[in-house]
Structures are given as C-alpha cells and as structure tokens.
Amino acid sequence: MRNGEREITTPVSLTAPGGGLNPDAVGWTRRPLHDTSGIGSGDGLLPDVWGRNKRWEYWLVMTPTHLMSLTISDVDYASSHTVWVYEIPTRRRLDVTAIVPFARGSILPPSLKDGMRARGGSLSLGGRVREPGPGHMRAFIDSDDTGTRLRADGQAPARRGSAPGGIEKVRFDVVAHRAPNHESLGVVVPWSRERFQYTVKETALPASGWVELDGELIELPEGESWAILDHGRGRWPYKMEWNWGAASGWVSEPAGAERLAVGLQFGGKWTDGTGSRENAVTVDGRLYPIHEDITWDYEFGNWEAPWHLHSPSVDLRLEPIWDHDAVTDLGVLAMKAHQVFGYFTGTVIVDGRELVIDRMLGFAEDVRNRW
C-alpha cells in the first residue's frame, strides 16, 4: 500500500467498495482527481468510523499588510468554523469561531474535482446560519469562472466596558484566481486501510478583492496578494501531530529575467512511515514535487525564535513576526496549534536550478491534536 511517490493521472475513488482505503488511490496528483464522496457516508459498513471522519476547507489570504482566513469543517461530532484577520503593521487581530454540535448546517462538497460550494457559520436554535452580530461568524466558498470566491464576516463578542485595542468587525470578499494550467499538490496519506487522509495543497494563487475592518474598506493590492488552500477529506486517528509550512511570492531569476510566481509547500510528522510526502514547489503554476523528507528545526514553545527547514534541495529560514495561537483543551478533546507567520529566506532547488527566496511571506506551524 505504501506507494505514495506514484503519480496518479486518472480519476480514482479514495474509498474501496467496503468503505476502507482504496489502494489504487495512494499516490500524488497535479490536479484534483480523487472522488472523496465516500467520506462521511456509508459509515455503517465499517466499525468505529463515526467520529473519525474529517472534512474541511481552509483558505488563507496574504497581503503585505494583512492576513485573513476562513475555515469550514465537519468532523462528525462537531463543526469548527473560523474567520480571522491580522493587521501586520498594527498587530491588531480578530478571531471568531463557531462550534456547532454534530456539524448541523455545514455544507461541504463531496469532492474537490466536482467544484466548490461550502457554507458554515454560527447557528440559531432553528438551525439557520445567524446574521452578523456579536460573537457570530459566517463563511462562504464558491467556484468562480476565474477561480474560487471567498466571502466571510465576523464580529467580536459583546463586552462590558471599554473594548481593548483590537478589531471588532471583519468582512472580506476575495477571489483566488486560478489559471487553467495552475497545478496543485494532491496526496493520499495511508496510515492504514481504516485510517487515511486525502489532502490538496495549492499555493501562489493571485488574489483580488477587499477586506473591511471596523468599517474601513481596504482593497487587496494587485500583484502582491496571494491565496493558499488546504483541502482535506479522510478518516483520522484520535491523536496526531503535524508540521505544515507554505508561502507565496515573486522570485527573480539571475541575469534580469522576468519574475517567477513561486509557491512553497512543506509538511512533516504526520506522513512519517507512510511512504507519502507533501513537499513541493510551484513555479508559474507548474508543480515540482520534492521527494525528500524535510527536517524541521525549531524551539517548541519559543515561537518568536527562527525556524530552519532543510533537506538536500531545501535550505530555508523563517523569521517570525506573529504566532497565530489557537488552543482548545477540553481534556479528551484538545487542539493546540501554533501557526507562526513570518518571512522565508534561503534557497530551493527546482528541476536542477536554484531559486533564491528573499523574505517571502508565509508560515510554519506546529499542531498537536486529540480529536
């Protein structure tokens, strides 16, 4: 089963007829080819499946001055939908989360290859997504003629007395533009026939649109705004740790050549021992997988210290500017994430040529879940 370095070039079902992992699905792709409609359905065919299904859409948008994100998820027993924004110059932030029991009201597409329509947010007692208000959030994802449209709004909870210096309300409407030849990294991670994950990571998608912070409308700067996707469908073990890092930006080749749109994508820990990797570089829309293990050197707990990611083809250092900490600990269920944003500097070797990365905005994260 451990043939994760095999490129898949034709459509394939993630699950077998009995509901477990289809061995033919294990490998990597340049475009979404996996049918994942078996995740979250037909679970009566397998014991101990309910509660192990995990489905999500995570989008990140980065500009030189602002970071913003939305997540729509369904993990069987609950949904955890989020909208957050961070203003780099002022260090102001806003995080709004909606935890919905049994994932009521969540809408996620069966498979990424079939297009995108996703919905999630705070729910009323009647099961409808709430209108904007204190402590509420909503998120919408839709396929667009030129890519994917991302819309979200969120508001801080009502407070007594004067509010601290922070962002109270956020709205954004952004399109992640996808050229017809733009490639993404799809990978199936096979922990076992019962536990497995299909992930799609897509970087260096040009973004346009606007974000509104407390009534101030800010247009995303053309040519300097990027979107990154993390799409997930699978059945997970109860306990898991992982590293993920990504970045997008421009790289100039020597001798004054035109700029290249480059996306970096690295992962670690959760793929160990499976034969699969999720390391790649995208250059002007072309995907170049890195079939090497990346070493992640960082000081756990000291999130302001530099990170070093390295392998025979990768030598990158991340200089942090902000730790997006998201910690929930309910004992049996716990999610502890530190997504450290900053600037990558160093080199990557792609198809025999060295690309010099100079202060490319991105992140590296340490996540430890019991879920």
Side-chain angles (χ1 to χ4, degrees), residues 109-166:
S111 300
L112 183 59
K113 67 183 183 65
D114 298 327
M116 176 56 60
R117 181 178 183 271
R119 302 286 187 272
S122 307
L123 289 192
S124 66
L125 292 178
R128 295 185 177 182
V129 175
R130 290 181 179 271
E131 293 298 315
H136 301 167
M137 58 75 59
R138 303 181 300 176
F140 309 89
I141 307 173
D142 294 281
S143 294
D144 182 270
D145 290 341
T146 61
T148 303
R149 187 181 182 191
L150 312 171
R151 292 174 294 149
D153 57 68
Q155 187 170 335
R159 300 183 178 94
R160 293 183 178 179
S162 59

Side-chain angles (χ1 to χ4, degrees), residues 306-326:
W307 297 50
H308 186 201
L309 281 61
H310 54 99
S311 75
S313 299
V314 176
D315 186 8
L316 292 167
R317 296 182 184 275
L318 176 72
E319 191 66 34
I321 60 171
W322 176 54
D323 169 28
H324 181 217
D325 55 327

Side-chain angles (χ1 to χ4, degrees), residues 53-309:
N53 294 306
K54 315 294 179 188
R55 303 187 299 151
W56 67 77
E57 309 294 334
Y58 168 89
W59 280 93
L60 169 70
V61 179
M62 303 186 299
T63 81
T65 57
H66 291 86
L67 309 170
M68 65 206 78
S69 175
L70 66 80
T71 302
I72 301 174
S73 73
D74 177 345
V75 297
D76 279 351
Y77 47 81
S79 288
S80 178
H81 310 307
T82 62
V83 172
W84 62 259
V85 63
Y86 180 74
E87 192 167 57
I88 296 174
T90 65
R91 302 181 67 86
R92 297 189 305 156
R93 65 183 283 186
L94 173 64
D95 291 76
V96 188
T97 299
I99 305 295
V100 182
F102 305 110
R104 291 189 310 142
S106 301
I107 297 175
L108 289 160
S111 300
L112 183 59
K113 67 183 183 65
D114 298 327
M116 176 56 60
R117 181 178 183 271
R119 302 286 187 272
S122 307
L123 289 192
S124 66
L125 292 178
R128 295 185 177 182
V129 175
R130 290 181 179 271
E131 293 298 315
H136 301 167
M137 58 75 59
R138 303 181 300 176
F140 309 89
I141 307 173
D142 294 281
S143 294
D144 182 270
D145 290 341
T146 61
T148 303
R149 187 181 182 191
L150 312 171
R151 292 174 294 149
D153 57 68
Q155 187 170 335
R159 300 183 178 94
R160 293 183 178 179
S162 59
I167 298 168
E168 293 294 317
K169 296 180 182 180
V170 61
R171 288 197 308 146
F172 59 80
D173 190 340
V174 174
V175 174
H177 298 276
R178 182 179 295 103
N181 62 346
H182 193 96
E183 298 177 341
S184 58
L185 177 64
V187 177
V188 170
V189 179
W191 297 298
S192 70
R193 289 193 181 275
E194 293 75 33
R195 300 290 181 262
F196 48 90
Q197 170 73 354
Y198 169 65
T199 182
V200 175
K201 300 299 201 307
E202 194 165 17
T203 60
L205 293 170
S208 65
W210 52 266
V211 58
E212 183 180 82
L213 305 180
D214 294 338
E216 178 188 2
L217 192 68
I218 303 166
E219 296 286 341
L220 272 60
E222 183 178 354
E224 299 181 274
S225 305
W226 305 95
I228 292 174
L229 166 66
D230 174 12
H231 164 94
R233 299 289 188 275
R235 297 194 176 113
W236 283 66
Y238 164 66
K239 185 177 181 181
M240 184 59 65
E241 300 179 3
W242 69 79
N243 292 126
W244 177 31
S248 299
W250 297 104
V251 171
S252 297
E253 284 196 304
E258 292 186 4
R259 297 187 303 172
L260 304 172
V262 172
L264 308 177
Q265 159 59 39
F266 307 115
K269 290 185 180 177
W270 72 296
T271 59
D272 292 351
T274 67
S276 296
R277 297 182 178 92
E278 58 161 359
N279 304 318
V281 177
T282 302
V283 181
D284 282 347
R286 178 66 173 175
L287 182 77
Y288 296 89
I290 299 176
H291 299 299
E292 303 168 356
D293 292 326
I294 305 293
T295 298
W296 296 66
D297 290 331
Y298 60 99
E299 184 181 348
F300 180 81
N302 185 4
W303 307 114
E304 296 182 356
W307 297 50
H308 186 201
L309 281 61

Side-chain angles (χ1 to χ4, degrees), residues 321-342:
I321 60 171
W322 176 54
D323 169 28
H324 181 217
D325 55 327
V327 178
T328 301
D329 193 345
L330 303 176
V332 176
L333 299 176
M335 286 166 264
K336 302 179 180 180
H338 292 272
Q339 188 178 23
V340 179
F341 286 87

